[in-house]
Amino acid sequence: MTSSHYLAGLFAPRSIAVIGASEKPGSIGHVILKNLLANGYKGRLVAVNPRYPTVLDQPCVVSIEAAGGAVDLAIITTAPRTIAEIIAQCGRAGVRNAIVVSHPASVAANSATTERRIRDAALNAGVRFLGPKSLGIVCPHAALNATFTEISALPGDLALVAQSGAMCASVLDWATMNRIGLSLAVSLGEAMNVDFGEVLDYLANDERTRYILLHVEKIRHARRFISALRSAARIKPVILLKSGNHVGDEMADPDAAELADQVFDAAVRRAGVVRVRDLGQLFHAARALASGFHPRGSRLAILSNGTGPARMAADSARRLGIPLPALAPATVTTLKPLLPREWKGHNPIDLGGDASSERYLEATRQLAQDAQIDAILVVLSPLALVSPQAVAEGLVDIARNSRTTLCCCFMGGAQVAGARQILEEAGIPVFRTPDTVIELFHNISTYYQNQKLLLQVPSPGRPMAGGRSGSGRVLVDALIAERRRVLSRMEAHALLHTYGVPVRPSMVAHTATEAMFVAEQIGLPVDVHLESPDLADAFDEQAVRRKLTSIESVRTALHDLVEARRQGAPEQRIHGVTIAPHGEHPHGRLFMVKVLRDPVFGPVILLGAGGSQGEALRDHAVALPPLNRYLARKLIDATRIGHTLGEHGKYPAADSQALEDALLGISNMVCELPALDTLEINPLVVDASGCLAVDARLSIDPSRGAGQGRYAHMAIHPYPAHLRQEWPMRDGSVIRVRPVRPEDAPLEQAFVNAMSDESRYFRFMDSTRELPPSQIVRLTQVDYDREMALIAVIDEGGAERQIGSARYVQTPDGEAVEFGLAVDDGWQKCGLGRRLMEAIIDCAREKLYRSMVGDVLADNHKMLSLMSRLGFAVMPHPDGNELKRVVKPLRE
């Protein structure tokens, strides 16, 4: 329930103090207090300003400490230099929430020193605040408009969170004009204290919010942002608009800025969010989701009564990668009588300028029955033989009786206005131009595709064939001990081999004589690469000699490479040469794989076209690890070169699974080696015989991950497979304990349904027999970082049955966790509850939490007894005698 959320006092305050309230028209304190009064806020209002006895006919006190009575929220409108002291006063007055609003003209005064003082004051006072530079909040259901804008909002189920005050005001104005209601609008401003993660947590649990709009400029805490975004998107649609660079600084290098944007895109895709590119798309997507627009897939058929509009729509669809599938033969047969004789059965479908309303509707009905079509775009121009209103009414009827999604483009003005209104009232998206409706369809269908990505919970997994990931950690530790950063080719290949990535064998030679012997041992022909940690370009063709067919040429090559480097770059260190067998791959597809470090999101895997011309082709896609096979396949399909793996011409089909395996091995490497800084494999050759890393360079940074928890270097926490356990019981049965997965929802629901009324009441503190789907989602889709859930299962009749669960979720201060425990009635008194609690306590200790807390009903004597035996202190609960608070320290 939102009422128990720790930010309820910030977003649903029962009393508000406006600090800096003023009689001066146009001042922040005047506008905000005036808005609160004008909107009819029903809670207690306190004006604070030592200069006035009253403000807007409200009694005015000299300071927040003189307010008398409890105040949930303080809105601070004073100059930046006063904010730290006022926050300290709020703490002394027992005010725990604040909004810091700064006028744009005063932003320059917000120096780093001022910001540090504000942060320290809030931390010492125990005050959570929005801003600085926040526009404020709007909560229409509470008649609350605490913003520096005169725009009111209607109550509804759409929530808005924006960093920019101007963007927040724009969306508020648009929503009011279009009669779209809001549950809450929050302007984060600089997000110095309360940020996206915490607001998203609040909205995910807010019963009035069904949809969430986000405007993002920069991100401070990637793991917290992605974790909260994923958590919210599992329950409610989230639409995101980003402006600027998520790192927070403008990038002079356009290629770097483009890559940073691609990384952000990859992150939000994994979070199950739809990202839009401009304010117009944000508005359209919000309206479409609010009306229940839900394409079941991305395959689109375009139906029009004109060639030009149909081609415009088709061009936009192809540009955005929307598939326009071939129609089923049966559909072509039924459509032919309705279309011009020259129609060849293609999609888009042009009915011709003489199309009547009846032909429009009959063609739509036939397309709606085609299993290869997920959605239909109906494009209508107001020509003489068609009635826009009749078509609109017929489309509404078709939409009610079909699983196929409809969207419309009714081009024109007055002649189609009535038809547009009919469609809008029925919840069918309708626009004036094909481009706009195609963009909307792309955004919303992408959202539902991204929801599938959200359900992927890859684990680091077992080593790939021939791999030994434990050896990889030992090898890197040895390099760190030697204070090494750049690995030789031989070392890079060995490390890749450790994680199951097929590599070309290689050896290092330091003298011409060694080089000849190595070449003879490996077998001619060979390639010879100069080894130097100082090379600006690790793949510099000037530092390699290829396809050497004699040992004399090997000796000459070493001499030439070394002399050329000493002449051209005498300061560079030379560590000999790496010699590897030369291989021909006439049917190979050349890929490139990189591991890069994004300043915010951490490790990123980039896949694209490789070889000497790979960079020039600008064909690549990025993904955030961890990957599983589904995500690896998606990454391959996102590149143009990935579509060449099938058989074509003289080229036999390449082994795409071998490429997937290599990507999974690299993903495992990234997960398990926090010190891995950069990796480049170029080329990675894929042909019918498999996959081979021909050349690779790798560097490490010992400072990365030092002293941090497992997987702390990653934006998305992998599935913690290392927590799986098997517990033999006294009766010979075996209980398997593992972290929960999204696909465990049926197990969890059956487990809850099988509980006795008493057990269910003790666990959930209510008498509901069946949990709603949203709560099952919360129980089974966890992020393994801020929360953990272990379930105990047994085999019964060839299927798994859940018999227990233990979980924790991080408390708002980030220092402790709150636990929950449930055991099947038939498995109580077997020691299962104790063992589950010990396992979940170990998980919390591994994450370095300070303590574990829980609320237990006072008459749940069995649970209180177990807690005492486990070392929890049983204490009175601040909310009354019906509950007990149990606390266990986790640090010595």
Side-chain angles (χ1 to χ4, degrees), residues 17 35 129 161 176 311 325 367 373 387 397 401 408 432 454 492 538 555 557 568 622 630 637-638 674 684 741 809 836:
N35 284 341
F129 68 90
V161 186
T176 303
R311 286 179 177 169
L367 288 170
I373 301 296
S387 166
D397 184 64
N401 298 292
C408 299
R432 288 178 167 80
L454 175 60
R555 177 176 57 191
V622 298
Y630 176 85
D637 289 344
L684 180 70
R741 285 181 174 273
V809 62
L836 282 170

Side-chain angles (χ1 to χ4, degrees), residues 306-327:
T307 303
R311 286 179 177 169
M312 286 174 62
D315 289 346
S316 294
R318 293 187 185 103
R319 175 174 52 83
L320 293 171
I322 298 171
L324 302 177
L327 305 178

